[in-house]
Amino acid sequence: MREDAVRRTDPSQELRQQVAAQFARYRSTGGQIAPYDECGKPTDGYYDELVDAGGKVRRMWTELSADFVELGTTGLGRLDNRVRRLIDDDGITYTELTGAEQAVTTPWRLDPIPLLISSDDWTRLEAGLVQRSRVLDEVLTDVYGPRRTLTNGLLPPELIFGSSGYVRAAHGITVPGRHQLFLHACDISRWSDGQFRVTADWAQAPSGAGYALADRRVVSTAIPEAFEHSNPRPLTPFARAMRLMLIESAQDADADDPVVVVLSPGVHSETAFDQANLASMLGFPLVESADLVVRDGALWMRSLGTLRRVDVVLRRVDAEFSDPLDLRPDSRLGVVGLVEVLRRGAVTVVNTLGSGLLENPALPGFLPRITRALLGEDLLLESAPTYWGGDDKERAHLTKNLHRLIIRSSVDGSTIFGPELSIRQRADLRARIEQRGWQWVGQEPAQFSVAPAVEGYGGLTPAPVGMRLFSMARRSGYTAMAGGLGQLHQRIAPDNSVIRVAAKDIWVRAAPSPAPAVATEPVHEERERRHLPIVEAISSPRVLNDLFWMGRYSERAEAAARLLIATHDQYRDYRYRPWLEGAEAVPVLMAALGRATATVPPDSVVFGADAAEDIEAEQDSPTGAEAAAVAAQSQSMGSMTQTMGSMTQTMGSMSQSMPTVPAAQANSANAPADELSASSTSPGAAESDSVGEPGLDDAGQGIAGDMTATTGAGVLDRAIAAAADAAEMTDAPEVPPVGKAPVAGASREGHDYLVALTIDRDLPGSLAFAIDRYENAARAVRDQLSADTWMILSAVDRALAEYRVTGGDQEAALNAVHSLTLAALLSLSGIGAESLVRDSGWYVMDIGKRIERGLALTALMSSALTETYPEETERVVTESVLRATESQVSYRRRHRDSVRIAAVASLLLFDTGNPRSLAYQLDRLDADLQALPGASGSSRPQRLLADAQRMLRRVDPDDLEVVDEDGRRTELAELLEGVHLRLRKLSESFETSKLSLPAGFQPLWGSTRIVG
């Protein structure tokens, strides 16, 4: 009994021991890493957010720390994984730009433990932040207005006019209302003395608010109990207030329907998610420079061939890139003529052009006296100590302490870490400072407090933390976001310097007495001017182009998944039972899979190992007709490289199934590499780089190459036949007929081919490639999509990644990946059908979907059903086609076990009640095109569609069973070829007429090179 009681108490005792061990480890580690500054130099102690100097947990952390510590190391590791999973499901990313200006999208990193701010600390921070915003607003207003701060000696003129942040063209441009600075952000850290200090001000185009909102969503979901107990102040009131104030910022105060847009550099911007998430929270369209145009002294947004006037722009593009006409001529991120529109007062841009001068690193040193002069107050929130080289005394201190200071340029803000310089480098820098001291400022390295963070399955660890706080102008003053973007840093050995590695959610504890979450003035004050009418969604050609390709890639991925499932099932049935009837269907399906995906299966997969060896021998020593065949093959296939091991072959004429540069993107195809972030990368353009042969007529090619090619035949066979026809020779070598050749495809090479078509994201035509391109297009229009989209895509990515690591030769694992991917694609289709508003964007996306489904269907049927095979083989092939087109059940209900091509064609081509039939796709295309604004019924896409519909109506299904002397169903082949050709021409015409982007512009004068 006593032993049992001891055992029952062991768990709690063990937990207490774990808690004590974790706190002891936390304290010990903190003492080792915390007392250092930003550059790794020792400091006089440090501030611990979790425990006080006596080692006791601070009051506000008591409940929360207990929750985390009791989880133990294993529980904390699971919590960290849960946060990572939620980030993947929400599609939260950060884009890293490599040295070659290549954009690499990586998952956002968020620590599960929030950074707590007490109500007393927040009161001081909020007051200091609001005051700092007020004084910076006064400086901005004065510099671009009367300039009294310069004439009265409060600011040195060279500090303003010598800064790259000063925009001369912005002088005299004003924003409606009392404030010129709309959005302001501060990087703040707590130093060893417990005081908060500002290390940087951000006023150009402050980033991070979108991330802060996303972080709150993730953390509150990951730890709901802790969130409920702590009850931090909400962030959404800040976003709602920002929306109202942006609407209030319109130049025309009487406008009933002001159009507000968020101007982004594009999907390759480092903070592309931040911009898209903020735009989505605000409910405003995210636009790029190609979406906007200046006409008649106003700013307009393109939308399906029409223009919609823009009233307010929330700018996320740096000022110097905003207008290539008046500012930087080599910019592709701005709108030509924007500055002139601002001068005329026809549009409001926030933050206003020229606000970047407030980021000058020398400016904080002047803020205390400016605050006293302009506001009559003492500066509440100190800055990190700075030493401007334009002052003799401060310059002497600066040059003497180069070895421990952070040196920044007051011209362009570039940063040099003094401790990292060699003796010679410091001497050179000292000479430059002595020569032009006003261009340089030294700053004391920032100090950081430490707070608990999760170290995977290693438990709690102390980590240096900072934060970025945000404030926004309202009619009665500035208001702060009740939280912000926490910054988790990491010490780097051996010098103990810090780098930013993750984010933290900031929880501001509510004050004991109720306080307004956003501001002191009543909310209805800003609503009384207008009733915020419902605004019809606006879609620019760029957005519509991405939605169009989303529709095409989603359908392309689904078609690939269904055909892979159907082919893999037959492969598994016959791999170890090749003697069964119908085994010859496997190479037929493998060849059809290659045609449908525009990839080249190994010869052994299509012809069998022995036949492949014979073909290889023939290729090694061609003579006579064979030599002509090889020449024809070389001419038809161009520079195709046959690399069977990696399955990355591309197919000359077959590669046209993966589209060339879409017409809508042709004008931007030659953008220089350094302008990568100027616009969204078109999915089609990305494919053309992989597939090759740009410039081919997209309208004249099939989804899997020439639709008149012999179905099921290999590339060499078609080349031999073409050469023989040209030379009127009949002695070309023949591939063994189906039924007599060794069974091919059901082999290890066949398995490797199926795996490559499933998981190789670098193989054009593969399932992973289509999903990757879908994700790229979706990121470009993130603000248009349901949040559930990213949860589905992340599940697919995880499944594919897991199979790449552990799948190997496991047939069940490959089948599971196919099934999971198809289920995810069906979920995406369901979101599109049931969750998206039927606006222009939806119709364009559905047009892309219907075009792709029609192309895939005609290509598959042309490849698999236009040739005749032995009875059992034809039954297996036909059933596989029906399964790949999701029509097997419907066919069996109508025709039981009978297999007739006329019946199959009736269901898959002519049945308007079958959502998978060709006739249904054409009818939906007709309805979608007619639903678009400005539809006339006689546009070129609609004429091409009507032509395809007439072709279907003229055909009797029974005629499609007629077989010529070569065993080919000519009527069926011609019908499929004709409809396929018209669908491709329709796609090209639609892109050109509805989705075309503006042509690339040329500089109005001379070279675009910036001098000086």
Side-chain angles (χ1 to χ4, degrees):
M1 297 284 292
R2 186 175 301 173
E3 291 179 357
D4 292 341
V6 171
R7 290 194 189 99
R8 285 195 296 269
T9 59
D10 280 346
S12 61
Q13 182 179 356
E14 183 179 352
L15 178 60
R16 287 195 297 270
Q17 291 175 351
Q18 290 182 1
V19 170
Q22 285 201 58
F23 268 112
R25 177 175 175 269
Y26 177 90
R27 293 278 290 166
S28 174
T29 306
Q32 296 173 13
I33 70 169
Y36 297 93
D37 63 20
E38 183 177 3
C39 293
K41 300 301 180 183
T43 60
D44 297 331
Y46 67 97
Y47 188 93
D48 194 321
E49 302 286 348
L50 176 62
V51 297
D52 60 21
K56 295 182 179 180
V57 177
R58 299 185 189 276
R59 182 178 177 182
M60 65 176 175
W61 280 90
T62 303
E63 294 181 3
L64 189 63
S65 62
D67 291 339
F68 285 111
V69 171
E70 289 176 1
L71 288 174
T73 56
T74 303
L76 288 173
R78 287 197 294 263
L79 175 60
D80 189 44
N81 289 337
R82 188 186 312 158
V83 168
R84 292 173 185 264
R85 178 75 171 265
L86 289 170
I87 287 173
D88 288 342
D89 289 347
D90 281 358
I92 307 175
T93 58
Y94 179 79
T95 305
E96 296 180 356
L97 298 180
T98 64
E101 292 299 319
Q102 295 295 318
V104 179
T105 301
T106 59
W108 183 245
R109 185 71 180 91
L110 175 63
D111 187 71
I113 302 179
L115 177 61
L116 300 189
I117 303 295
S118 68
S119 58
D120 292 340
D121 284 339
W122 178 249
T123 299
R124 293 192 296 269
L125 281 170
E126 184 179 31
L129 178 62
V130 167
Q131 183 200 53
R132 198 176 186 93
S133 300
R134 289 167 53 211
V135 69
L136 290 177
D137 176 61
E138 293 287 346
V139 172
L140 183 65
T141 303
D142 181 75
V143 167
Y144 291 102
R147 298 177 177 170
R148 295 190 182 93
T149 54
L150 304 181
T151 57
N152 294 340
L154 293 175
L155 279 174
E158 62 269 29
L159 202 63
I160 299 300
F161 301 125
S163 171
S164 60
Y166 176 76
V167 178
R168 192 178 304 275
H171 185 75
I173 295 176
T174 60
V175 175
R178 295 174 50 192
H179 306 290
Q180 298 304 298
L181 178 62
F182 178 77
L183 185 63
H184 172 222
C186 280
D187 283 347
I188 300 174
S189 64
R190 197 197 298 257
W191 291 40
S192 59
D193 58 2
Q195 298 300 311
F196 293 103
R197 290 182 175 87
V198 176
T199 57
D201 288 289
W202 303 104
Q204 173 77 262
S207 63
Y211 280 125
L213 293 167
D215 291 349
R216 174 61 57 86
R217 185 170 63 245
V218 169
V219 174
S220 62
T221 303
I223 48 175
E225 297 86 359
F227 182 80
E228 182 179 353
H229 293 158
S230 296
N231 191 27
R233 294 176 61 177
L235 304 183
T236 50
F238 185 86
R240 290 198 297 266
M242 181 182 291
R243 172 180 170 82
L244 292 175
M245 286 310 301
L246 285 169
I247 294 174
E248 295 285 341
S249 298
Q251 293 279 356
D252 184 0
D254 297 326
D256 292 330
D257 187 12
V259 174
V260 184
V261 299
V262 180
L263 177 59
S264 166
V267 293
H268 296 298
S269 168
E270 292 177 293
T271 57
F273 172 85
D274 179 67
Q275 300 157 21
N277 190 52
L278 183 61
S280 179
M281 293 292 293
L282 297 176
F284 300 137
L286 185 71
V287 302
E288 299 176 22
S289 60
D291 303 327
L292 304 176
V293 64
V294 171
R295 293 283 189 274
D296 301 325
L299 183 66
W300 304 81
M301 179 179 175
R302 297 182 172 94
S303 181
L304 272 181
T306 63
L307 296 176
R308 180 79 178 270
R309 182 165 177 174
V310 175
D311 299 283
V312 182
V313 177
L314 177 59
R315 176 175 62 87
R316 292 299 298 269
V317 176
D318 286 354
E320 65 173 323
F321 294 98
S322 298
D323 185 350
L325 183 62
D326 282 294
L327 300 173
R328 183 165 174 163
D330 64 341
S331 169
R332 293 178 182 267
L333 306 179
V335 183
V336 177
L338 179 61
V339 171
E340 179 60 28
V341 178
L342 284 168
R343 290 196 186 105
R344 297 187 181 193
V347 70
T348 299
V349 174
V350 292
N351 279 346
T352 183
L353 300 184
S355 59
L357 71 87
L358 300 178
E359 297 179 1
N360 191 317
L363 184 59
F366 297 89
L367 286 183
R369 67 180 185 182
I370 293 176
T371 304
R372 286 189 292 270
L374 299 183
L375 303 182
E377 303 170 359
D378 291 329
L379 189 65
L380 299 177
L381 194 56
E382 296 181 7
S383 305
T386 57
Y387 312 97
W388 181 49
D391 180 270
D392 294 340
K393 183 178 179 180
E394 293 186 4
R395 183 173 64 252
H397 182 88
L398 170 59
T399 55
K400 183 179 180 180
N401 293 277
L402 288 178
H403 63 284
R404 66 175 190 83
L405 296 176
I406 298 176
I407 316 302
R408 291 192 168 94
S409 168
S410 64
V411 176
D412 59 11
S414 57
T415 301
I416 301 172
F417 288 89
E420 297 179 359
L421 298 178
S422 65
I423 296 177
R424 180 174 179 178
Q425 289 173 329
R426 283 200 293 268
D428 291 343
L429 179 58
R430 185 178 293 108
R432 293 164 64 188
I433 293 174
E434 292 290 355
Q435 184 179 11
R436 293 192 175 183
W438 68 270
Q439 294 185 354
W440 300 96
V441 59
Q443 178 180 310
E444 293 287 348
Q447 297 178 22
F448 300 96
S449 60
V450 295
V454 174
E455 190 179 28
Y457 283 91
L460 289 178
T461 186
V465 293
M467 52 188 164
R468 178 171 295 182
L469 303 182
F470 303 88
S471 67
M472 179 190 60
R474 302 183 78 173
R475 284 190 290 163
S476 61
Y478 281 86
T479 186
M481 175 189 283
L485 180 63
Q487 302 163 344
L488 182 68
H489 300 269
Q490 179 180 338
R491 295 286 179 192
I492 302 298
D495 58 1
N496 284 320
S497 60
V498 297
I499 59 172
R500 191 177 306 166
V501 296
K504 269 183 171 290
D505 189 17
I506 297 178
W507 289 6
V508 176
R509 303 301 295 267
S513 57
V518 176
T520 56
E521 73 268 22
V523 175
H524 70 271
E525 181 181 353
E526 292 166 344
R527 295 179 178 268
E528 61 190 16
R529 294 177 57 191
R530 56 176 64 93
H531 297 289
L532 301 181
I534 297 175
V535 181
E536 182 182 356
I538 305 172
S539 296
S540 70
R542 176 194 59 82
V543 171
L544 294 175
N545 185 64
D546 286 316
L547 291 172
F548 174 78
W549 281 101
M550 280 182 61
R552 291 201 61 172
Y553 278 122
S554 65
E555 186 59 34
R556 186 172 300 179
E558 183 181 336
R562 291 187 182 281
L563 187 53
L564 279 167
I565 290 172
T567 305
H568 185 232
D569 281 353
Q570 300 304 329
Y571 164 86
R572 289 195 301 171
D573 285 346
Y574 293 112
R575 180 176 184 180
Y576 301 110
R577 296 181 293 275
W579 58 84
L580 295 179
E581 290 187 6
E584 294 83 358
V586 176
V588 175
L589 292 174
M590 288 287 188
L593 188 59
R595 286 282 308 280
T597 59
T599 56
V600 182
D603 286 339
S604 62
V605 171
V606 178
F607 303 105
D610 295 338
E613 292 177 1
D614 295 340
I615 292 172
E616 184 178 357
E618 293 168 358
Q619 289 176 319
D620 290 339
S621 56
T623 59
E626 297 171 347
V630 172
Q633 179 190 15
S634 175
Q635 180 178 1
S636 66
M637 296 180 63
S639 59
M640 182 191 74
T641 302
Q642 297 187 22
T643 309
M644 298 301 182
S646 63
M647 302 307 304
T648 57
Q649 301 96 325
T650 55
M651 289 187 61
S653 66
M654 289 175 68
S655 68
Q656 285 82 356
S657 73
M658 309 305 293
T660 58
V661 178
Q665 294 293 327
N667 294 325
S668 60
N670 297 320
D674 59 355
E675 293 288 347
L676 183 61
S677 62
S679 61
S680 302
T681 301
S682 165
E687 276 192 344
S688 69
D689 293 338
S690 301
V691 178
E693 299 210 29
L696 290 170
D697 182 6
D698 184 59
Q701 306 299 334
I703 189 171
D706 186 0
M707 293 289 293
T708 63
T710 302
T711 304
V715 176
L716 178 63
D717 195 27
R718 292 199 297 274
I720 291 174
D725 291 342
E728 295 184 353
M729 295 183 292
T730 60
D731 58 346
E734 296 181 0
V735 175
V738 174
K740 296 182 180 181
V743 175
S747 62
R748 179 54 189 257
E749 291 79 7
H751 173 82
D752 292 343
Y753 179 57
L754 294 175
V755 169
L757 282 179
T758 302
I759 66 173
D760 189 350
R761 65 178 57 180
D762 296 322
L763 175 63
S766 72
L767 177 61
F769 184 92
I771 292 173
D772 189 58
R773 292 305 187 273
Y774 177 90
E775 290 181 2
N776 290 342
R779 289 192 188 98
V781 290
R782 183 187 296 268
D783 60 311
Q784 307 271 327
L785 305 178
S786 165
D788 294 336
T789 302
W790 310 106
M791 176 177 62
I792 298 170
L793 290 175
S794 68
V796 176
D797 289 340
R798 282 193 296 269
L800 293 174
E802 183 178 352
Y803 184 85
R804 292 186 187 102
V805 176
T806 62
D809 194 25
Q810 301 178 30
E811 299 293 348
L814 183 60
N815 186 67
V817 169
H818 291 159
S819 299
L820 189 150
T821 303
L822 179 59
L825 292 169
L826 293 177
S827 298
L828 289 176
S829 180
I831 290 176
E834 302 296 335
S835 300
L836 299 184
V837 176
R838 297 311 195 258
D839 57 9
S840 298
W842 185 89
Y843 287 114
V844 168
M845 184 165 62
D846 197 57
I847 287 171
K849 185 181 185 73
R850 301 303 162 186
I851 289 175
E852 189 66 33
R853 184 173 290 183
L855 290 173
L857 178 62
T858 53
L860 175 60
M861 293 184 65
S862 176
S863 177
L865 300 183
T866 55
E867 295 291 322
T868 56
Y869 309 105
E871 181 179 353
E872 185 61 23
T873 299
E874 184 147 311
R875 183 190 65 79
V876 173
V877 170
T878 304
E879 288 184 351
S880 297
V881 169
L882 288 169
R883 182 176 183 184
T885 55
E886 190 58 14
S887 299
Q888 190 175 29
V889 173
S890 299
Y891 185 86
R892 285 176 177 174
R893 289 175 58 190
R894 296 183 182 184
H895 305 285
R896 300 185 182 275
D897 293 331
S898 173
V899 176
R900 291 184 60 240
I901 294 301
V904 173
S906 178
L907 178 63
L908 295 185
L909 297 181
F910 306 105
D911 189 346
T912 57
N914 178 15
R916 296 283 170 175
S917 74
L918 182 60
Y920 185 88
Q921 311 315 313
L922 299 183
D923 288 347
R924 285 292 298 269
L925 275 172
D926 190 14
D928 290 343
L929 289 171
Q930 195 62 38
L932 295 178
S936 63
S938 59
S939 64
R940 176 168 169 75
Q942 290 173 303
R943 294 198 305 272
L944 288 167
L945 177 61
D947 196 14
Q949 291 173 314
R950 282 193 296 269
M951 289 188 67
L952 277 184
R953 288 195 295 267
R954 293 171 181 170
V955 174
D956 185 343
D958 291 333
D959 293 340
L960 302 181
E961 288 196 339
V962 177
V963 179
D964 63 15
E965 59 184 9
D966 296 324
R968 180 173 172 80
R969 298 183 177 96
T970 308
E971 291 288 337
L972 177 61
E974 290 179 352
L975 173 63
L976 294 173
E977 174 191 350
V979 175
H980 190 98
L981 176 63
R982 283 156 181 80
L983 283 175
R984 294 198 68 85
K985 286 184 176 181
L986 187 157
S987 176
E988 178 188 5
S989 178
F990 180 73
E991 286 187 84
T992 303
S993 60
K994 297 294 186 180
L995 312 180
S996 59
L997 298 177
F1001 57 83
Q1002 297 294 327
L1004 297 181
W1005 54 83
S1007 173
T1008 60
R1009 185 172 63 89
I1010 302 298
V1011 180

